[in-house]
Amino acid sequence: MNRRYDPAEIEPRWAVRWEADELYRTAPADARPKAYILDFFPYPSGDGLSVGHCRNYVPTDVLSRYYRMHNYNVLHPMGWDAFGLPAENAAIKLKTNPAKLIAQYSANYKRQFRLIGISFDWSREIDSSQPEYYRWTQWIFLQLYEAWYDPRIRSAIPIAELEKELAESGTSGIPGAEPLTATQWKGMTSAEKKDFLSKFRLAYRVASSVNWDPVEKTVLANEEVIDGRGWRSGTLVEKKVLLQWFFRITAYADRLLADLEGIDWPEHIKLMQRNWIGRSEGAEVQFATEAGSLKIFTTRPDTLWGATFMVLSPEHPFVSRLTTTDRKSEVDAYIAATKGQSEIDRTAEGREKTGVFTGAYAINPVNDERIPVWVADYVLMGYGTGAIMAVPAHDQRDFEFARRFDLPIRVVIQPTWKDAPAPPLDANQMTGAWPGEGVMVESGPFDGTSTTVAVAQITAWLEATGRGKLAVNYKLRDWGISRQRYWGTPIPILHTPEGEVPVPEDQLPVRLPPVEHYEPTDSGESPLANIPEFVRVVMPDGTEGRRETDTMGTFACSSWYFLRFADPGNSEEAFDRSQAAYWLPVDMYVGGAEHAVMHLLYARFWTKVLHDLGYVPFVEPFQRLRNQGMILAPDGKEKMSKSKGNVITPDEVVMDWGADSLRAYEMFISDFEQATPWNTHGLAGTHRWLKRVWELLLNPADRLPVNETTRQSDRDLRRWTHKTVKKVSHDIEGFRFNTVISSLMEFTNALYEAQRQAVSTPAFQEASDALLLMLAPIAPFMAEEIWSLLGRPYSVHRQSWPQHDENLAADEFITLVLQVNGKVRGRLTMPAGLKEEQARAVALESEAVRRHLGGKPPRKLIYVPGKLVNVVV
RNA sequence: GCCCGGGUGGCGGAAUUGGUAGACGCAAAGGACUUAAAAUCCUUCGGAGAGCAAUCUCUGUACCGGUUCGAUUCCGGUCCCGGGCACCA
C-alpha cells in the first residue's frame, strides 16, 4: 500500500459520504440508554469560529461518538442563538436586515463544524429567530403571564386559580400578600383587577429605570454597560424610567438555591449562583414612628442594642411622611440630588457617605430608646425593607456614616477569643467582634449571652411580642426582559383601552415585520414602534389596540432551546412531552463560564415553571455541566481578539494540518477546564503522532532493529492494550482528554516497540484494532480512511468500543520502592502478588537499604501493599 | 474590600486515598540516513556535585512554618496571577 497520510484529500471525501448517509442522524426514542450531549448554542457572528471555540465542540463531539460506540442513543444537536444586539448592530451599520446576516453567518459556522468533523445531527438544527421557533418562546411567555407562584404549595399554578380564590376569600390565606377582602376584589374595576393581578403574575410589566445611551439613542442591557459607559459609544449611560417587562424569578429563589445540591456542576459555578441568589437569614424588626411602624431587616438582631440611628433609602415611602417641616427643604434637595445620579455614581468605590436628617425619631423596640431617622443613598430600596437600623460599632458602612455625621457609636459585643483587642473607646475603628462570635454587653437582659445564642433568642422574643419576626432576604432581582430593539422575540401582548391583553395562543406567532432596515428612535421606544402596520391592532369588539413594541432579550430564547432539540420540527407544540421526557435532562452540557449566572439561572427557572405547569417531569435541565478553559494567543497570556489580530481560525489549521490534528491537539493542549496558550509547535507534535499511527497501521513492513532492552512478549502487549482501553475509557468519561491523548501516544509507542519483533501475531492485531477504534472519536476522518483501506466494512463509526479485560490489564510485576526514613533509596521489581513478609524481608536484605542503615537496627517498618517499604531508624 | 480558583523543568502539562515528582508532547543539543535539505529514526534533557564507569550524593513542586515514617497532595501564615461579587444591612 504505502500510502502517505494526506488529510486534505481524505477529509472532504468522508465528510461528503457521512453527510449523504446521514451517519449521525439521531435515532427515534427506543429502549437503549440515551445520552443528550449539548454545547451552549452559539451566537453566530461574522467572524466565524476560532480555535478557542473548538475547545468545547471537539470534546463534546468525542463524547458523543464515544457513547454511540457504546450503543447509546445519542442526541447531539446544534442551533443558533440568532436574536440579539451584535447581529442587529451589524445590520444597522450595513443598512440591512439582521435575518440576512444571520443566514450568512450561521451557514459559515455550519461549514466550519463540518470541516472539523463535528457529528451534529443537522436535521435538528434550530434558529431562535425563525417564527417556527419564537412562536413557542412567545407561548412560554404566555404561560408565565397566565401563572402565579403560590408560596403555600411552592409551585406555579394558573392565575385563574388566584382569581377564584380572591373572589372567595380575598388575600387572607396568601402569605405575604397585601390585605384585600373578597368584597373589595369584587368591587374593583376590570383595570384595577388587572393591576392587582400583575403583582402576582410570573410575567409582569412595571415602571423601572433602564440604561440609556444618549449617543446611540438606545437602551442598553446591563451586560452592555461597562464601568458606567456604553460598550460601543463609550459615553456615560443615563438612567431613564420606562415601563419594562419582568419575569418573577425571585419567586423561585429558594428552589433555585436548594436544587443546586442535586446536580453535577463545577463547584465554583454553583457557588456563583448561590452568591447571586444571595440568601440571608435574619429578622424583620418594627420600630415605632409617628408615621406608623417602620420595618427594617437585619441579619444581626443581636446588635439591636447598638442601634444609635436609623437610615431610610431616599425612595422609602416613609421619607415624606416622617420629615419635619424645618428639615423638608434639605431632605427634598438631597433626594433630588440622588435621583440625578446614576447607579454607578451612587455605588462608586471609596465614595464618602452622604445623607440628611429627617428631623424624626423612631423607638427601638428592645429598649424604647428614641433614635434619629436619617436618609442616605447607601441604603437601597430594592433590598430588604429599604430601611435599616444603624449599628456603627459593628457595621463598616454605618460606622463610616456615624463618623461623617458625628452620630453616637455604642459597642454592644465584645470578642471572646484570646488576646482580643479591647473595644475602641475613641472609635477610631470598629471593634473586631464582627461578624464572628462574641459576648453581648450593654444589652439589657442579654448581657453576657453569646451572640449566636442571642440571635435565636432575640428573634424568638421579637416574634412572641409582635415586634418582629424571622425573615429571609435574597439579593436576586426579577429578570428584566424588555429590550427596545427590533431584533428579538416580540412580546405577545396588546395594549387596549381596557388594559393589557395577551395575544391568544392560536394567533401566535406575533411575527417580526420584515423591514429592510430601520434606525433606532430618539424616544427610547423600540424601532418597532415606528412601524404602524405592526403596532396597530383592531380588537374583536372593534376598538383599537396597540401592540407591545418591546422585544424579549435573547436570554429568553436560550432558556428553553434545549427542550426544542428534543422535538425540533413540532408545529403543534413547543415540544412533545414524551420526547422531552425521554431526552431530557441534558446529560452533559458544555460551554464557557461567562454564562455561569445569567443563562444557566434563567434556563433553570423556566424549566421549573414548565415543570410546575405540568409540561416536563424534571426540575433541573442540565444534569452535568462543564466549562472549557479559554485558549489564549500563542504569544504570552493575551486573549485572542479580532482587534489584536491574533485570532487563529480552524480553517487555517485544517488547511495546514488537517481536521484530525486540530481535534487531537484541542484535546491534548491542556486540562479541559484550564486556560492555556495556543502553540503551533504543539500542534505539529500531535500531527506527527497521527502520522505515526497511520504508518503503523498501514505500512507495517518497515522493520526496525530489535531493541533488546524493551523487548516485550505478547502477554506484555496484551496488557498494554487492555490497560490503555481501560484508562482511555475512564478518562473520556471523566472529561480528561489531555491524558486520553497521552495514553494513546504511549500505546502507539508501545506498538512500535512490539512491531520491531512481531508484526502479525494475534496480540498485535488486537492492539492495532483497539488503537484504531479508540482513535475513531478523536480523529474520525483518519480512522475511517484506515478502516476502509484495511478492507473493513463501512463505517468505523458504527463499530463498538473495545472492551477491556481486568485480568489481562492486571500487572504481573510491580516496582517495590525502598525507602529509608522516607527517602527513596532503591527500587525492586517484584511479582504482583508479593506478600508483606516477603516485601519486608527483601527490603531489609537489599543492598540499598543496608547501605543507608549503616548497621543500625530498624526501629519501624512501614509497608504499603504493592507499592513501598519504608524503613525507619 | 469580600468570595472562589491557581502557582510543578526553557514551554504546554502528568502524578487513584498522603507513598517512585516531572508521564506524554514541544523546544533544545548530539548522532544515524542523505550529495544536501526536508521527513524519519536513535540518544540526552529540573539544578548542583562526585566518579573511568555502571552509578551515587545533595537539592528541588511560589515562599515561610507545622503535622506525618513519608507532603506537589493535609493544616497555619505570606507573596503573586486569574475569575466572580461589590454600600445587599
Side-chain angles (χ1 to χ4, degrees):
Chain A
M1 283 186 244
N2 221 1
R3 287 188 43 170
R4 251 184 69 245
Y5 173 46
D6 181 8
E9 188 276 323
I10 296 167
E11 292 176 359
R13 184 154 44 77
W14 286 114
V16 168
R17 172 86 189 265
W18 295 335
E19 192 86 24
D21 296 344
E22 296 190 313
L23 191 68
Y24 305 122
R25 196 176 177 122
T26 315
D30 59 28
R32 290 179 293 163
K34 64 90 186 180
Y36 184 178
I37 299 163
L38 185 65
D39 301 290
F40 288 15
F41 81 153
Y43 205 99
S45 92
D47 302 332
L49 296 173
S50 74
V51 290
H53 297 115
C54 300
R55 182 84 183 273
N56 63 342
Y57 299 120
V58 169
T60 49
D61 188 57
V62 170
L63 204 63
S64 303
R65 291 171 178 276
Y66 174 82
Y67 279 111
R68 284 195 200 100
M69 291 178 81
H70 278 86
N71 198 34
Y72 275 66
N73 197 6
V74 172
L75 176 57
H76 188 41
M78 180 44 58
W80 319 110
D81 190 10
F83 274 139
L85 285 161
E88 180 165 20
N89 288 337
I92 290 168
K93 206 156 134 191
L94 300 168
K95 291 204 181 300
T96 180
N97 187 293
K100 290 180 183 169
L101 294 180
I102 286 297
Q104 194 183 312
Y105 296 163
S106 62
N108 185 44
Y109 272 54
K110 199 166 170 179
R111 178 192 63 75
Q112 288 181 302
F113 283 131
R114 285 172 164 144
L115 185 74
I116 63 172
I118 305 293
S119 62
F120 290 134
D121 173 4
W122 288 109
S123 72
R124 291 188 182 235
E125 180 179 355
I126 58 178
D127 174 341
S128 65
S129 67
Q130 292 297 314
E132 294 75 26
Y133 182 90
Y134 68 67
R135 169 180 179 180
W136 303 112
T137 310
Q138 292 171 339
W139 176 83
I140 296 174
F141 177 97
L142 294 179
Q143 302 311 303
L144 287 152
Y145 183 79
E146 297 290 3
W148 72 292
Y149 190 82
D150 186 339
R152 293 162 297 190
I153 54 170
R154 290 168 40 97
S155 174
I157 54 168
I159 195 89
E161 307 266 327
L162 176 63
E163 289 182 82
K164 214 188 299 168
E165 181 173 345
L166 291 175
E168 279 166 17
S169 52
T171 56
S172 57
I174 305 168
E178 72 181 74
L180 185 88
T181 64
T183 322
Q184 283 173 314
W185 167 255
K186 285 173 192 154
M188 281 180 162
T189 65
S190 153
E192 284 168 343
K193 281 182 175 171
K194 274 176 195 269
D195 235 39
F196 192 79
L197 288 177
S198 76
K199 291 171 187 156
F200 291 86
R201 294 182 190 277
L202 293 183
Y204 65 96
R205 196 163 81 135
V206 73
S208 157
S209 69
V210 293
N211 308 304
W212 176 254
D213 186 320
V215 171
E216 298 275 344
K217 293 178 184 170
T218 185
V219 164
L220 299 179
N222 286 332
E223 309 83 67
E224 292 156 343
V225 181
I226 297 150
D227 293 335
R229 291 171 186 276
W231 68 309
R232 286 201 302 162
S233 67
T235 50
L236 281 171
V237 164
E238 296 168 4
K239 285 282 165 185
K240 218 173 191 173
V241 174
L242 292 173
L243 277 169
Q244 299 279 297
W245 283 95
F246 288 88
F247 290 138
R248 203 177 302 278
I249 191 172
T250 49
Y252 281 78
D254 53 347
R255 283 171 62 185
L256 288 166
L257 185 67
D259 290 347
L260 284 171
E261 300 305 326
I263 49 181
D264 176 9
W265 285 20
E267 211 37 60
H268 70 278
I269 302 286
K270 287 192 188 183
L271 194 69
M272 277 167 71
Q273 292 219 346
R274 285 191 194 105
N275 290 341
W276 190 263
I277 294 166
R279 180 182 197 273
S280 21
E281 211 170 272
E284 201 172 272
V285 188
Q286 297 180 26
F287 283 66
T289 71
E290 288 191 359
S293 167
L294 177 60
K295 286 180 184 167
I296 62 103
F297 174 72
T298 178
T299 54
R300 294 297 300 268
D302 54 322
T303 62
L304 265 160
W305 278 267
T308 53
F309 58 101
M310 301 190 73
V311 186
L312 302 179
S313 160
E315 296 87 4
H316 199 285
F318 270 46
V319 173
S320 56
R321 285 153 68 179
L322 282 175
T323 303
T324 55
T325 338
D326 57 319
R327 303 291 307 154
K328 192 171 184 315
S329 60
E330 208 172 321
V331 170
D332 285 350
Y334 180 71
I335 288 168
T338 311
K339 269 189 189 147
Q341 284 181 341
S342 70
E343 191 101 341
I344 311 297
D345 294 335
R346 260 182 79 164
T347 59
E349 197 178 351
R351 185 167 161 269
E352 195 171 13
K353 292 275 180 292
T354 62
V356 283
F357 178 43
T358 60
Y361 291 83
I363 306 298
N364 186 337
V366 298
N367 57 6
D368 295 332
E369 194 182 350
R370 195 163 161 272
I371 56 176
V373 179
W374 286 64
V375 178
D377 62 6
Y378 80 92
V379 174
L380 310 172
M381 197 57 218
Y383 183 79
T385 61
I388 61 160
M389 63 163 182
V391 185
H394 305 292
D395 181 281
Q396 184 65 39
R397 298 151 300 184
D398 298 345
F399 175 75
E400 285 166 19
F401 194 82
R403 304 254 330 197
R404 171 82 173 75
F405 294 102
D406 250 338
L407 291 156
I409 296 168
R410 188 192 308 140
V411 172
V412 290
I413 292 169
Q414 276 186 341
T416 48
W417 56 81
K418 212 169 59 143
D419 302 329
L425 297 175
D426 64 343
N428 274 321
Q429 63 181 68
M430 287 171 31
T431 156
W434 181 273
E437 172 88 357
V439 160
M440 318 246 315
V441 292
E442 313 257 325
S443 297
F446 286 91
D447 280 357
T449 314
S450 91
T451 49
T452 37
V453 171
V455 167
Q457 289 185 350
I458 291 169
T459 309
W461 177 80
L462 286 168
E463 199 134 15
T465 56
R467 292 171 163 107
K469 60 177 185 189
L470 189 79
V472 172
N473 265 291
Y474 295 92
K475 289 186 199 171
L476 185 67
R477 299 293 145 85
D478 277 340
W479 167 17
I481 54 142
S482 276
R483 296 290 179 273
Q484 290 68 29
R485 285 289 192 155
Y486 167 78
W487 190 236
T489 306
I491 292 173
I493 293 285
L494 306 172
H495 300 287
T496 73
E498 301 294 307
E500 70 194 24
V501 180
V503 174
E505 279 183 26
D506 60 10
Q507 287 176 34
L508 298 181
V510 177
R511 283 171 189 272
L512 212 49
V515 291
E516 266 309 301
H517 56 85
Y518 49 82
E519 299 301 332
T521 68
D522 288 331
S523 62
E525 280 186 307
S526 159
L528 288 171
N530 290 343
I531 305 168
E533 315 84 274
F534 178 82
V535 175
R536 256 210 312 261
V537 212
V538 177
M539 304 302 291
D541 65 0
T543 59
E544 204 164 280
R546 191 175 183 281
R547 207 176 274 290
E548 171 65 57
T549 56
D550 282 356
T551 55
M552 290 183 237
T554 50
F555 283 119
C557 313
S558 57
S559 290
W560 75 283
Y561 76 101
F562 43 92
L563 287 160
R564 185 65 176 174
F565 275 134
D567 189 17
N570 198 329
S571 56
E572 303 299 316
E573 301 171 277
F575 49 85
D576 176 83
R577 292 181 203 197
S578 64
Q579 290 292 324
Y582 174 78
W583 286 113
L584 277 283
V586 173
D587 298 287
M588 178 55 88
Y589 194 36
V590 178
E594 68 273 17
H595 290 297
V597 174
M598 301 296 220
H599 160 60
L600 291 170
L601 198 62
Y602 298 152
R604 294 180 62 219
F605 164 53
W606 275 32
T607 300
K608 288 178 196 305
V609 175
L610 291 171
H611 167 267
D612 289 354
L613 300 178
Y615 295 107
V616 298
F618 47 87
V619 294
E620 283 294 332
F622 314 122
Q623 196 47 46
R624 272 181 101 190
L625 173 80
R626 293 292 180 270
N627 301 115
Q628 81 277 12
M630 207 186 309
I631 292 194
L632 307 165
D635 50 340
K637 302 278 175 190
E638 277 189 336
K639 293 177 185 180
M640 285 191 187
S641 76
K642 208 184 171 189
S643 58
K644 294 207 172 88
N646 55 11
V647 176
I648 297 170
T649 65
D651 305 64
E652 56 192 284
V653 175
V654 170
M655 200 188 295
D656 291 343
W657 306 95
D660 287 333
S661 296
L662 170 71
R663 293 171 62 104
Y665 183 60
E666 293 274 0
M667 295 170 70
F668 187 56
I669 188 165
S670 149
D671 178 81
F672 178 73
E673 306 213 344
Q674 206 174 306
T676 193
W678 185 260
N679 179 352
T680 307
H681 287 302
L683 178 65
T686 51
H687 180 76
R688 206 140 45 210
W689 166 58
L690 290 180
K691 252 166 51 178
R692 276 164 57 77
V693 173
W694 176 276
E695 293 299 322
L696 177 79
L697 297 180
L698 290 176
N699 306 320
D702 303 334
R703 277 304 191 89
L704 293 161
V706 174
N707 182 343
E708 289 299 333
T709 59
T710 56
R711 192 174 183 97
Q712 49 182 332
S713 66
D714 273 14
R715 180 68 188 81
D716 294 330
L717 182 58
R718 297 202 74 192
R719 184 173 299 113
W720 258 112
T721 305
H722 288 263
K723 272 187 150 177
T724 305
V725 170
K726 183 182 178 181
K727 167 134 176 78
V728 167
S729 309
H730 180 258
D731 284 358
I732 288 179
E733 287 171 27
F735 248 63
R736 283 150 50 182
F737 300 101
N738 54 339
T739 51
V740 165
I741 301 296
S742 62
S743 299
L744 289 174
M745 284 174 166
E746 285 180 89
F747 187 44
T748 306
N749 293 341
L751 269 148
Y752 262 92
E753 280 303 327
Q755 201 194 51
R756 291 166 185 273
Q757 307 154 37
V759 175
S760 52
T761 64
F764 189 83
Q765 194 58 44
E766 178 188 55
S768 54
D769 277 4
L771 177 61
L772 184 51
L773 289 169
M774 287 189 284
L775 207 66
I778 297 159
F781 297 102
M782 191 178 101
E784 188 79 291
E785 179 72 5
I786 297 174
W787 189 258
S788 157
L789 288 172
L790 292 175
R792 308 289 187 86
Y794 177 82
S795 153
V796 73
H797 302 300
R798 288 190 176 131
Q799 305 305 311
S800 290
W801 185 257
Q803 298 285 310
H804 78 272
D805 179 327
E806 282 292 345
N807 292 327
L808 289 170
D811 278 313
E812 197 175 350
F813 295 99
I814 54 138
T815 302
L816 186 69
V817 174
L818 306 177
Q819 291 186 345
V820 177
N821 289 335
K823 289 196 175 191
V824 178
R825 295 302 180 188
R827 297 176 175 89
L828 292 173
T829 299
M830 300 298 288
L834 184 71
K835 298 271 191 302
E836 176 163 0
E837 287 313 308
Q838 294 170 273
R840 288 167 167 270
V842 293
L844 289 172
E845 280 161 22
S846 72
E847 152 68 26
V849 169
R850 281 195 301 184
R851 180 151 39 93
H852 285 276
L853 284 180
K856 277 180 270 179
R859 206 153 50 82
K860 194 168 157 190
L861 229 87
I862 286 146
Y863 175 62
V864 181
K867 289 208 164 133
L868 64 77
V869 176
N870 186 13
V871 183
V872 186
V873 225

